[in-house]
Amino acid sequence: MRKTPFCFRFGHCLLCSMSYSNTTDFTNPSTFILLGIPGLEAAHIWISIPFCTMYTIAILGNFTIMFIVKMEPSLHVPMYYFLCMLAITDLVLSTSALPKMLSIFWFNSREINFSACLTQMYFIHCFSIMESGIFMAMAFDRYVAICNPLRHSTILRNPVVAKIGLAVVLRGCVLVLPYPFLVRRWPYCRTNVIPHTHCEHMYVVTLACADIRVNSYYGLFVLFCGNGLDMFIIAVSYTYILRAIFRLPTKDARLKTFGTCVSHLCAILAFYIPGLFSSLTYRFGQNVARHFHVLIANVYLLVPPMVNPIIYGVRTKQIRDRLLRLFTHKRM
């Protein structure tokens, strides 16, 4: 006897109203419908204003960071190479979601092709893992610079930095690669409506009429091998960094050394706090309003790309001085 399939929708198990034989044609729906922010449709235009502003700041800020690093020879060191990698990642991450999101808010363009949805999903999750890996690499750079300063230039030579960057990129690409294949293999029977502004992995697979536990388990595996592992290494690095700082003889030396880490710490908090909050509220916050889930997910995609160039522009003296010289030269 053929078993009746189950739909897992937002943590609730619903009985599908049709058998597998009736859902064969819907295995790969031609399009999905993105609702935007459920419950706040009337405010989409107003919500688009801060979102568009954040995206504009992210584009201008990250391109400015890359331009300054390229033009200033004194910034051609590992820390700023990693910062350029972070800027590129931020640009791709935000651009993967924002254009479609704004088309929903401004033009009510809710349809997204199935393949385009899978592509967007892949880029968002892939570059999110990459960004986490870059923060880990930057933590390693700070560890070597503070705990072993005399060997910093020999340990983090340009070929080593390139290999670290390549490893970060490959890890993100490989870890997220199964996502589109896992999503494509399920049958979709009841609806193709996604209550979100973009194609987020778990929001898409909850539309499937199948047991999606493999997606859920693999999502947790990616979270652990990506952000979880990176956070652990960052925590270990800063444990050694703080121990080295507290061993310095004077208060001024301790403050000056710790000041070289402040920008990195602020950027880490801006990235990981919304990401962890979004993941935890999705998996365990069944009583949290759906529009709150979606807003937090968008904050995770928009806020770090916007604040990272601001943090490093304000807190890093070399970048700040080069930026001031750039504007002073233009005025003259």
Side-chain angles (χ1 to χ4, degrees):
M1 180 179 295
R2 179 177 291 170
K3 293 183 180 180
T4 304
F6 285 86
C7 282
F8 289 82
R9 186 185 304 272
F10 313 115
H12 301 284
C13 185
L14 300 177
L15 188 64
C16 270
S17 61
M18 52 185 74
S19 65
Y20 278 122
S21 60
N22 292 331
T23 63
T24 304
D25 294 337
F26 299 94
T27 300
N28 291 327
S30 59
T31 59
F32 282 117
I33 307 297
L34 294 168
L35 288 184
I37 304 177
L40 298 179
E41 288 86 355
H44 275 176
I45 292 295
W46 296 107
I47 295 172
S48 71
I49 296 174
F51 280 16
C52 186
T53 302
M54 286 189 284
Y55 183 50
T56 304
I57 294 172
I59 291 175
L60 295 175
N62 285 293
F63 272 116
T64 300
I65 290 290
M66 289 189 290
F67 175 76
I68 289 175
V69 172
K70 183 180 184 300
M71 297 301 295
E72 183 60 48
S74 65
L75 299 182
H76 294 176
V77 293
M79 174 183 173
Y80 297 102
Y81 291 149
F82 289 133
L83 184 57
C84 286
M85 295 179 200
L86 182 65
I88 294 170
T89 303
D90 280 335
L91 288 170
V92 177
L93 185 62
S94 57
T95 302
S96 298
L98 256 293
K100 181 59 183 177
M101 189 188 306
L102 293 177
S103 73
I104 296 171
F105 292 162
W106 291 345
F107 310 112
N108 203 32
S109 176
R110 300 174 186 270
E111 290 191 0
I112 183 170
N113 181 271
F114 184 72
S115 297
C117 183
L118 297 185
T119 303
Q120 184 189 56
M121 176 197 306
Y122 179 80
F123 272 85
I124 288 174
H125 288 283
C126 177
F127 279 85
S128 176
I129 297 295
M130 286 185 198
E131 181 150 349
S132 179
I134 293 169
F135 281 127
M136 177 185 65
M138 295 173 84
F140 177 67
D141 171 74
R142 291 297 85 207
Y143 162 75
V144 176
I146 293 173
C147 298
N148 207 343
L150 297 180
R151 297 187 58 198
H152 181 264
S153 59
T154 57
I155 293 175
L156 283 173
R157 293 174 290 110
N158 286 348
V160 175
V161 173
K163 289 177 182 177
I164 292 174
L166 181 61
V168 167
V169 171
L170 289 178
R171 186 191 65 160
C173 293
V174 171
L175 273 179
V176 183
L177 188 61
Y179 274 3
F181 296 101
L182 288 172
V183 172
R184 186 180 289 274
R185 68 192 292 260
W186 301 127
Y188 297 86
C189 60
R190 291 179 63 87
T191 183
N192 62 343
V193 176
I194 303 173
H196 212 295
T197 56
H198 58 268
C199 292
E200 203 276 338
H201 173 240
M202 289 307 298
Y203 270 84
V204 175
V205 296
T206 49
L207 303 180
C209 293
D211 187 341
I212 60 167
R213 282 178 293 183
V214 63
N215 292 75
S216 182
Y217 294 152
Y218 187 74
L220 287 173
F221 171 77
V222 171
L223 186 65
F224 173 78
C225 291
N227 293 11
L229 182 62
D230 294 343
M231 290 174 65
F232 174 76
I233 294 175
I234 290 169
V236 171
S237 298
Y238 270 96
T239 299
Y240 284 102
I241 288 171
L242 291 175
R243 189 173 70 174
I245 289 174
F246 286 132
R247 288 178 176 175
L248 293 174
T250 65
K251 182 179 179 181
D252 288 342
R254 290 193 291 269
L255 290 175
K256 183 178 179 180
T257 305
F258 183 73
T260 64
C261 302
V262 171
S263 298
H264 183 235
L265 286 172
C266 291
I268 286 174
L269 293 176
F271 176 76
Y272 283 113
I273 289 177
L276 286 175
F277 196 70
S278 176
S279 179
L280 291 174
T281 52
Y282 177 81
R283 295 182 183 278
F284 306 109
Q286 285 81 9
N287 296 325
V288 178
R290 191 177 299 163
H291 66 265
F292 186 74
H293 283 274
V294 177
L295 284 171
I296 291 296
N298 288 324
V299 166
Y300 175 62
L301 293 179
L302 288 174
V303 171
M306 177 190 70
V307 301
N308 287 340
I310 296 174
I311 290 171
Y312 280 95
V314 172
R315 291 289 312 174
T316 307
K317 186 177 185 298
Q318 294 93 323
I319 293 178
R320 188 171 64 248
D321 291 346
R322 186 65 177 84
L323 190 61
L324 289 174
R325 289 204 307 271
L326 181 66
F327 282 111
T328 303
H329 178 72
K330 284 185 175 182
R331 287 175 184 175
M332 294 175 60

Coordinates of all heavy atoms in Angstrom, one line a residue, residues 3 7 9 14-15 37 45 96-98 102-103 121 162 174 176 184 198-199 202 206-207 209 218 254 267 288:
K3 N 2.1 4.9 0.9 CA 1.9 5.7 2.0 C 1.5 7.1 1.6 O 2.0 7.6 0.6 CB 3.1 5.8 2.9 CG 3.5 4.4 3.5 CD 4.7 4.6 4.4 CE 5.0 3.2 5.1 NZ 6.2 3.4 5.9
C7 N 3.3 16.9 4.5 CA 3.9 18.2 4.2 C 4.4 18.8 5.5 O 3.6 18.8 6.5 CB 2.9 19.2 3.6 SG 2.6 18.9 1.9
R9 N 5.3 22.1 7.2 CA 5.2 23.5 6.9 C 5.4 24.3 8.2 O 4.6 24.3 9.1 CB 3.8 23.8 6.4 CG 3.6 25.2 5.9 CD 2.1 25.3 5.5 NE 1.8 24.4 4.5 CZ 2.0 24.6 3.2 NH1 2.4 25.7 2.8 NH2 1.6 23.6 2.4
L14 N 1.5 18.7 8.2 CA 0.1 18.7 7.6 C 0.0 17.6 6.6 O 0.9 17.3 5.8 CB -0.1 20.1 6.8 CG 0.0 21.3 7.7 CD1 -0.1 22.6 6.8 CD2 -1.0 21.4 8.8
L15 N -1.2 17.0 6.6 CA -1.4 15.9 5.7 C -1.7 16.4 4.3 O -2.5 17.3 4.1 CB -2.6 15.1 6.1 CG -2.9 13.8 5.4 CD1 -1.7 12.8 5.6 CD2 -4.2 13.2 5.9
I37 N 7.2 40.4 3.2 CA 7.2 40.3 4.7 C 5.7 40.0 5.1 O 4.9 41.0 5.0 CB 7.7 41.6 5.4 CG1 9.1 41.8 4.9 CG2 7.7 41.4 6.9 CD1 9.7 43.1 5.5
I45 N 6.4 49.6 1.0 CA 7.0 50.8 0.5 C 7.8 51.5 1.5 O 9.0 51.9 1.3 CB 6.0 51.8 -0.1 CG1 5.3 51.2 -1.3 CG2 6.6 53.1 -0.4 CD1 6.3 51.0 -2.5
S96 N 22.7 39.5 -3.7 CA 22.0 38.3 -4.0 C 20.5 38.4 -3.5 O 19.6 37.7 -4.1 CB 22.6 37.1 -3.2 OG 23.9 36.9 -3.7
A97 N 20.2 39.2 -2.5 CA 18.9 39.3 -2.0 C 18.2 40.6 -2.3 O 17.0 40.6 -2.5 CB 18.9 39.1 -0.5
L98 N 18.9 41.7 -2.3 CA 18.2 43.0 -2.3 C 17.5 43.4 -3.6 O 16.4 43.9 -3.5 CB 19.3 44.1 -1.9 CG 19.2 44.7 -0.5 CD1 17.9 45.4 -0.3 CD2 19.3 43.5 0.5
L102 N 13.6 44.4 -3.4 CA 13.1 45.7 -3.7 C 12.1 45.7 -4.9 O 11.1 46.5 -4.9 CB 14.2 46.7 -4.1 CG 15.2 47.0 -3.0 CD1 16.4 47.9 -3.5 CD2 14.5 47.7 -1.9
S103 N 12.2 44.7 -5.8 CA 11.2 44.6 -6.8 C 9.9 44.1 -6.3 O 8.8 44.5 -6.8 CB 11.7 43.6 -7.9 OG 11.7 42.2 -7.4
M121 N 19.3 31.0 -3.4 CA 19.5 30.3 -2.2 C 21.0 29.9 -2.1 O 21.6 30.1 -1.0 CB 18.7 29.0 -2.2 CG 18.9 28.1 -1.0 SD 18.3 26.4 -1.3 CE 16.6 26.8 -1.8
A162 N 46.8 34.0 0.2 CA 46.0 33.5 -0.9 C 45.4 32.1 -0.7 O 44.3 31.9 -1.1 CB 46.9 33.5 -2.2
V174 N 31.6 24.2 -1.4 CA 31.3 22.8 -1.2 C 30.3 22.5 -0.2 O 29.4 21.7 -0.4 CB 32.7 22.1 -0.9 CG1 32.4 20.6 -0.5 CG2 33.7 22.2 -2.0
V176 N 27.7 24.2 0.8 CA 26.3 24.6 0.4 C 25.9 24.0 -0.9 O 24.7 24.0 -1.2 CB 26.3 26.2 0.3 CG1 24.9 26.7 -0.1 CG2 26.7 26.8 1.6
R184 N 15.7 20.3 -5.0 CA 15.1 19.9 -6.3 C 14.5 18.5 -6.3 O 13.6 18.3 -7.1 CB 16.2 20.0 -7.4 CG 15.7 19.8 -8.8 CD 16.9 19.9 -9.8 NE 17.4 21.2 -9.9 CZ 16.8 22.1 -10.8 NH1 15.8 21.8 -11.5 NH2 17.3 23.3 -10.9
H198 N 13.2 36.3 0.2 CA 14.2 35.6 -0.6 C 14.0 34.1 -0.4 O 13.3 33.7 0.5 CB 15.6 36.1 -0.3 CG 16.0 36.0 1.1 ND1 15.9 37.0 2.0 CD2 16.6 34.9 1.7 CE1 16.4 36.5 3.2 NE2 16.8 35.3 3.0
C199 N 14.7 33.4 -1.2 CA 14.7 31.9 -1.2 C 15.6 31.4 -0.1 O 16.8 31.1 -0.4 CB 15.0 31.3 -2.5 SG 13.7 31.7 -3.8
M202 N 15.4 26.6 4.3 CA 14.4 25.9 5.1 C 13.0 26.4 4.8 O 12.0 25.6 4.9 CB 14.7 26.0 6.6 CG 15.9 25.2 7.1 SD 15.8 23.4 6.6 CE 14.4 22.9 7.5
T206 N 10.2 23.5 3.4 CA 8.9 23.3 4.1 C 7.7 23.2 3.2 O 6.6 22.8 3.7 CB 8.7 24.4 5.2 OG1 8.9 25.7 4.6 CG2 9.7 24.2 6.3
L207 N 7.8 23.6 2.0 CA 6.7 23.5 1.0 C 6.7 22.1 0.4 O 5.7 21.8 -0.3 CB 6.9 24.5 -0.1 CG 7.0 26.0 0.3 CD1 7.2 26.9 -0.9 CD2 5.8 26.5 1.1
C209 N 6.2 18.1 -0.1 CA 5.4 17.1 0.4 C 6.2 15.8 0.6 O 6.1 14.9 -0.2 CB 4.2 16.8 -0.5 SG 3.0 18.2 -0.6
Y218 N 21.1 18.3 7.5 CA 22.2 18.8 6.8 C 22.4 20.3 7.1 O 23.5 20.8 7.1 CB 22.1 18.5 5.3 CG 23.3 18.9 4.5 CD1 24.5 18.1 4.6 CD2 23.4 20.1 3.8 CE1 25.7 18.5 4.0 CE2 24.6 20.4 3.1 CZ 25.7 19.6 3.2 OH 26.9 20.0 2.6
R254 N 48.5 48.0 26.8 CA 47.4 47.1 26.7 C 46.2 47.7 25.9 O 45.6 47.0 25.0 CB 46.9 46.7 28.1 CG 47.9 45.8 28.9 CD 47.2 45.2 30.1 NE 47.0 46.2 31.1 CZ 47.8 46.5 32.1 NH1 49.0 45.9 32.2 NH2 47.5 47.4 33.0
A267 N 32.8 44.0 14.1 CA 32.2 43.4 12.9 C 31.8 42.0 13.1 O 30.7 41.5 12.6 CB 33.3 43.4 11.8
V288 N 6.9 33.0 17.8 CA 7.4 34.3 17.3 C 6.6 34.6 16.0 O 6.5 33.7 15.1 CB 8.9 34.3 17.1 CG1 9.3 35.7 16.5 CG2 9.6 34.0 18.4

